Amino acid sequence: FTAVSGVGYFVNTTGGAVTVNLPAGTAGAVVGIKDYAGTFDTNNLTVGRNSQPIEGVAADLTVSVERAGLTLAYSDSTQGWLLKDK
């Protein structure tokens, strides 16, 4: 699914891996994600970058840590989405 800026998501991967696509890059956009069932280590979450970098890297982000929670904020086209917390 595609996330909406300003919204936090509890993502449940008990049924399999899930991809959350980030919204279009707009300065100040923020998206929060939390491992709902503690299964990101078994069924990974992929954060789709939507053509913008994540932490300055032109690649999607794979989250494989049980109970992970993260907040991403969009800065600019060079650094793209930055992790506010992990």
Side-chain angles (χ1 to χ4, degrees):
F1 67 92
T2 298
V4 175
S5 178
V7 178
Y9 296 91
F10 292 104
V11 180
N12 185 347
T13 62
T14 56
V18 172
T19 297
V20 175
N21 294 305
L22 293 169
T26 304
V30 176
V31 173
I33 301 168
K34 176 66 180 169
D35 182 359
Y36 170 79
T39 55
F40 283 3
D41 59 333
T42 305
N43 297 313
N44 297 164
L45 168 74
T46 298
V47 179
R49 63 190 188 93
N50 195 3
S51 300
Q52 295 296 319
I54 297 175
E55 293 284 327
V57 178
D60 292 340
L61 175 67
T62 299
V63 183
S64 59
V65 176
E66 181 180 335
R67 294 288 180 194
L70 54 139
T71 303
L72 296 114
Y74 186 80
S75 61
D76 58 32
S77 61
T78 302
Q79 292 301 312
W81 291 92
L82 300 175
L83 290 163
K84 289 179 62 177
D85 53 37
K86 298 180 186 180

